[in-house]
Amino acid sequence: MKIMHCPVNGPRPLQEFQYGGELRAAPDAQTASDEAWAEYVFCRSGEPGVKREWWRHVPSGVWFIAERNNVTDEIHKTYLYGAEQPS
Amino acid sequence: MSNRLPPQPGEWIDRTRALTFRLEGREHSAFAGDTLSSALAAAGVRTLGRSFKYHRPRGVYSAAGHDCNAMFESDAATNVRGDTTLVADGMDLRPVNAAGSLAHDRLNVVEKFSRFLPVGFYYKAFHTPRRLFPLYERQMRRVAGLGHIKPNARLPASPKDYDFCDLLVVGAGAAGLSAAIAAAECGVDVLVVDQRARPGGSLCWQSGQVPAARQQLAALLARTEELPNLCIRAGVEAAGWYADHWIALVDSARLTKLRARATLVAAGAIEQPAVFGGNDLPGVMLASAAQRLARLYAVRPGQRAVVLAANLDAYRAALDLIDAGVQVAALVDLRFGGEAGELLARLHEHKVEILAGHAVYEAVAGRDGSGVAAAVVCPLGADGAPVVERARRIDCDLLAMSVGWAPAGAILYQAGAKFAYDDQVEQFTPRTLPEGVFAAGRVRGVYDLEARLADGRAAGLAAASHLGKRQGDVPRQSPPSSVPHSHGYPIFAHAGKKNFVDLDEDLHLADFKNAHQEGYDNIELLKRYSTVGMGPSQGKLANMNAVRILARLNGRSIDETGTTTSRPFFNPVSLGCLAGRRFHPLRRTPQHAWHAEHGARFVHAGAWLRPEFYPRQGKSREQCVLDEALAVRQSLGMIDVGTLGKLIVSGSQAGEFLERVYTGKFAEMKPGKLRYALACDETGVIIEDGLVARLDERTYFLSTTTTGSASFYAELQRWAIIWRLDAAITNVTGQWTGLNFAGPRSREILAPHTEVDLSSEAFPFPAVRRGTVAGAPALLMRVGFVGELGYEIHVPASHGMHVWRTLWQAGESAGIRAFGVEAQRLLRLEKGHLIVSQDTDALTTPIEAGLEWALANKPFFIGQRSLRIAAQHPPSRKLVGFELPREHAGPWPEECCLVVDNGRITGRVSSIARRSTVGRPIGLAFVAPAQAQPGATIRIRTESGRMVDAEIVEPPFYDPRNLRQS
Amino acid sequence: MTTMLGQSMRTSAMHEWSASRAASWLDIDGMRLPARLHASEREAALVDELALCDESGPRKVAVAGADAAAVVAAAGLAVPDERYAISRAFDGSLVARTAPREVVVQNGPAGGPVTAIRVAGHDARLIDNEDATLVVAGRRARELFAQTCGVDFRNAPLERLIYTRVAGVSCAIAPLPGRAAPVYRLWVDYSYALALWESLVEIVEGLGGGVVGVEGVRTV
């Protein structure tokens, strides 16, 4: 079972966490074309590589960002949203 | 005949404790510490099991659980492994795979047809004609498989444990103990596990001709005693390695989920058999098995032995046999040069004939067929093949083989180590190890005792350095042995006999040749087609020879051939052990005990248990539900709504936050007011609904659905982080509980129990008030979900039972009824209120659900952009109300029955009530927009296939002008 | 919001379980709890070995907002700075820093400071915290956690909250120094408390421990 480092609660087994999807920038709802908006809400990238993902430590309710390589399943770093600029 | 030897130094049996057990009804004696295999061998029982396919007699082979010849079952357990199960007094066992008895197995006739049962036979033979397949299947299920499952067996729940250490050392032999001590001396917290009953590894049984071994073991164990941060657990197997050093440890009682920070594997090597004719007969065994029997269990493994050798270990084994009183007739060395030196001289002293450059070509069964009676020995030609013309027969009842070893590297493989074949030691050895994973000893091809101790020490220090417990250089680990300990191809095909490669699956050399001929020339494909290594012993004795055979058939190197993937578990683990104790975290409201006391029938709603309805003597479920609903309509009812999600949002921007989350307007709402609230996701699909009540300038109280609250709360938390508004969310779902006190008499009954002015003027619909109810702090909300005058009352959880009981007593004069979730569903259906996730699905937008009125005109809410796009296209369906004629008596549409229009599916029923307080069957359904006009008729296909016509009506079905709620 | 004290209007989530087993009762902050389930010698022995106790009576509040720490300090309580740190006062009351802008205060067994906290005029709000409090005491407490929780308690610092899962239920664990061994207080959602309690009782009894009353854990 993998260990994940919650920026607040420290290293915990993966079963204490829930996955919240990839961190993605939303286009401006006012100016985006219908096509661009549909692309945002319906399409996800399956591209292999390092992803920035939302994760949540369930017992404490802490949301954070994990940079994870979805090929090797290595978690490179975790930080609170906005607390660190991505590498 | 007893084969028990006089006491042996270091034996594992306790002669002061005699035990008895039964096999096939026959009683046997044993000592505490005996395994089933050793006790049977001591009693002179040669046939311990019957083979899987041909039902051939099989005996002790590895005495270490590396084969599965000896498998039994009892009333309490299936697949009891003879080599590794200690005898317990009173055990009553049967063999798993004998039709009849071990001595006389009816199904051994199968072998007579083996010519017609080539590899892959079942795949090829039993798929046509198709109609006969059930017959084939029944027959095959009867003969295939080992043992019988007892579905009714009750076993004690085996708990699972978590455990933690810095360094796990797998294997308590010379290398493992040396490594553990070195690491522990640096301050590392070390756990050593060994699958055997006692620590020591090969030092326990391979020590006969290594005088230093016994002292070494004693010294190592004494040192471990002195180190408080070093713990040894014997009888524990490292069954599998998972990410981040999570290791499954299995013992006879439980599974331990161990989290280590580093793993060191010193699991040793597994002795490998030679392949020749009849190499599976009882009496043919690995030399290590003979040594284990003699040294650990004081059992003489035979009377007269032939030893097949390809390394130094065989010479030691031969001398061990002599020490154990076995006459060694000959030592047959596959190597032309044989062995020189002191061991050879001692064998000469004992008049052992040494046949260098020879092979055993066949093991010949005795007349009774029960075991080996002679070895047929041939000189090897220059090409390495036996010269059959010069064969000679040597009588023996024990044929001990020591021709090679394979690393016990399963845990290393699983951790991601890369192995390569070392041509010098003729063994796979680990070449690259993942971070935090270490190896030492024979698993690395290091055989000499001094070298193993040094190797372990170096690996232990490297682990300590990795764990930050040590500075400075780490000594180099020992190089693998420079002389081979394994023969490169110990396979000598007897043309007329079966030369077994995999004893579990009864696979012999010809099967491999056939599979190869059919094109299975890749090791992974060959495994799947032939099933080599797929039996209970997972190829511990078969895989290496399979690789050697395939390499030769392909004319390629061992490295080019590769190995199959090693997956958990190293040995079979019982399902009970894996299941462990299970936890069922149920949520119950504070009023739960009252519902149970009043006979409620409970239903699961998400994690919650809720009263579905309260059964009454002699009344159907439907009648009870209707009666409960009628009580609400006519007088007074009370329902536990403690399961509703409850959130508090507070802060100077709380209103702004809610306007972004919900489709409606809340920022301008006055304190004391409340409003229906609808939330969508970014695609515009409905995900939640509930109420938003404004308590004061800065504070809102939200209720959400029972099943959606946990995920909705998590989503709100995330939006709060992203938007950075001054709005904090607190989940009070479990902190508060609630009840809905509903019916025309609710106001007069509630009034004496609260100081809140309940008059319509002071407390109109819909609104929220703070105060006390029955002395408890409370939020009172006038809501309309069930369509009557009513008060939803929320109180702190610990006050819930007191408030519930107080109001229940108060309502008794009004004929109060407790109502369950079913009556509530009926009451809200009569009012035309939808239930999110029952009357909506993963694609339902507010436009389809008839909730356009809830979409406020404002700059932003989640889903707004998508709904704007959706609004440009006509919807494909609409949620509408329908009713059936008052006198309709069936067939009945059910929820999810399809709405069909001219043979085309246009929608489905989402809610239906056969009986209602409005006197006719009503429901909600999705239909095509063209069918959605009130007065139109839709056809619903019932489960039976019969069609029912229903009329579209505009909901609500009851009190359309909300007169009852004022 | 005020509660009427002393009238046992509050009910513990474990009340039905305790009702048939308690030998004597007492009242803490309006909640009736078993004072004893066994004779005091037996309870003392269990508390040394392995004991479980329902101590849900003492009131808890969460104080949230930018001024949370200040208003709690104004009530005369020591508020730890570090997130998850816990301080314990002489009267047995606890103050836990649950988040940068949140403090949880729990009364001691004989009442305590909760009612003294005043939030009016500050950026702080009081939210009644109705989590059940389960106490695990005894030198074998870690064996109970070994079967139910993935946290390594050998290396867990005392006086620091741990948010984790025990027997599949989310909870906050407050390990505090005890007379002989650390004492663990589990704060668990009221609605999950009985399920967790039932799981823990089964394991505790299987390990040879037992349930004790509030009097039983007073001495730890």
Side-chain angles (χ1 to χ4, degrees), chain B residues 73-90:
Chain B
E73 62 184 4
S74 68
D75 287 340
T78 51
N79 293 345
V80 175
R81 295 167 72 110
D83 284 7
T84 52
T85 306
L86 297 182
V87 174
D89 209 23

Side-chain angles (χ1 to χ4, degrees), chain B residues 113-126:
Chain B
F113 302 101
S114 66
R115 201 149 64 81
F116 309 108
L117 299 172
V119 62
F121 173 71
Y122 299 96
Y123 304 143
K124 293 169 192 160
F126 288 116

Side-chain angles (χ1 to χ4, degrees), chain B residues 159-166 189 254 581 583-590 593 597 607-608 648 650 698-699 726 728-730 732-736 770 772 774-778 796-802 805, chain C residues 1-4 8-12 16 31 64 101-102 122-125 127-131 143 145-155 167-169 189-196 198-199 202-203 207:
Chain B
K160 290 191 207 173
D161 273 356
Y162 288 94
D163 201 0
F164 305 87
C165 68
D166 290 340
D189 175 26
R254 67 181 61 190
R581 186 197 300 277
F583 300 115
H584 302 282
L586 276 178
R587 301 186 87 169
R588 281 169 279 204
T589 72
E597 215 174 279
W608 292 94
I648 288 174
S650 62
R698 298 171 53 89
T699 315
D726 177 24
I729 309 148
T730 310
V732 294
T733 300
Q735 309 286 351
W736 286 64
R770 279 200 273 193
T772 66
S798 64
H799 294 268
M801 183 63 106
H802 167 76
R805 285 190 192 278
Chain C
M1 292 175 194
T2 55
T3 354
M4 293 186 185
S8 293
M9 284 181 21
R10 297 172 62 222
T11 308
S12 162
E16 285 295 309
M31 183 180 286
R101 293 165 57 143
E102 189 182 81
H122 296 278
D123 180 1
R125 60 193 188 283
I127 299 166
D128 267 290
N129 182 316
E130 290 275 280
D131 284 353
E143 290 179 45
F145 290 122
Q147 289 192 31
T148 53
C149 178
V151 167
D152 181 2
F153 284 91
R154 297 172 319 159
N155 296 318
V169 177
D189 187 288
Y190 192 106
S191 62
Y192 279 116
L194 182 57
L196 177 60
E198 287 167 343
S199 296
E202 186 183 321
I203 299 168
L207 290 170

Side-chain angles (χ1 to χ4, degrees), chain B residues 564-585:
Chain B
T564 54
T565 309
S566 172
R567 296 188 179 87
F569 300 113
F570 182 58
N571 274 324
V573 178
S574 78
L575 291 174
C577 197
L578 293 176
R581 186 197 300 277
R582 278 172 299 169
F583 300 115
H584 302 282

